[in-house]
Amino acid sequence: EILGALMSMAVVWMVTGVLTYLACMRLLHPDYNIDATVMLITSACAVLTNILLSLILHQTGHGHSHGAQAREHMSAPLEEPALRNASLRAAFVHTIGDLFQSISVLISALIIFFKPQYKIADPICTFVFSIFVLATTITILRDILTVLMEGR
């Protein structure tokens, strides 16, 4: 479970790194063309999909139950917070990261759709949302490393 969570965080960081690299290349070589309509449709679909997936993962991990199962859980020892559903938390954070990246693309697409001369919005939005995504993954990465290093 923990290794799956670690892999999920590694994928988030790798994708963010690739997107940041591509944004840098677009700043250095501004002779690229963007089809804003395709970008707008694709990013809108990605935003909707990530919202749906986030809601599903959030509902799956809310952690309460009813009836006899709830009484059984009351008598069971409490788990460390870092151990509780770590892979589910990592998947949720991964989805939230994808959602923010998709929102970034959607914002860029809207700007470029209405003002094509502002295509620099694409790499700028990528930088801003990449920083946000990396910042949101720090706590779960810390929890994962704490478990892997058997820290207290």
Side-chain angles (χ1 to χ4, degrees), residues 21-36 39 108 112 115-127:
Y21 171 77
L22 293 173
C24 288
M25 295 310 295
R26 286 190 171 182
L27 285 177
L28 293 173
H29 307 287
D31 58 338
Y32 58 91
N33 292 323
I34 295 179
D35 187 346
M39 188 176 172
S108 300
I112 296 167
K115 297 282 188 177
Q117 65 272 23
Y118 293 149
K119 66 181 181 180
I120 195 167
D122 181 45
I124 290 172
C125 284
T126 300
F127 290 135

Side-chain angles (χ1 to χ4, degrees), residues 68-100:
Q69 292 173 341
R71 285 187 292 280
E72 290 174 13
H73 288 295
M74 295 287 278
S75 63
L78 295 175
E79 296 178 0
E80 293 283 332
L83 291 173
R84 246 183 287 142
N85 297 318
S87 60
L88 185 62
R89 283 179 46 217
F92 180 71
V93 169
H94 188 127
T95 303
I96 294 298
D98 287 347
L99 175 62
F100 285 124

Side-chain angles (χ1 to χ4, degrees), residues 39-40 43-44 47 99-114 118 121-122 124-126 128-129:
M39 188 176 172
L40 193 61
S43 62
V47 167
L99 175 62
F100 285 124
Q101 292 291 357
S102 299
I103 289 170
S104 168
V105 175
L106 181 62
I107 291 169
S108 300
L110 286 168
I111 292 169
I112 296 167
F113 185 78
F114 291 108
Y118 293 149
D122 181 45
I124 290 172
C125 284
T126 300
V128 170
F129 282 90

Side-chain angles (χ1 to χ4, degrees), residues 20 34 37 43 52 120 130:
T20 302
I34 295 179
T37 305
S43 62
L52 180 63
I120 195 167
S130 292

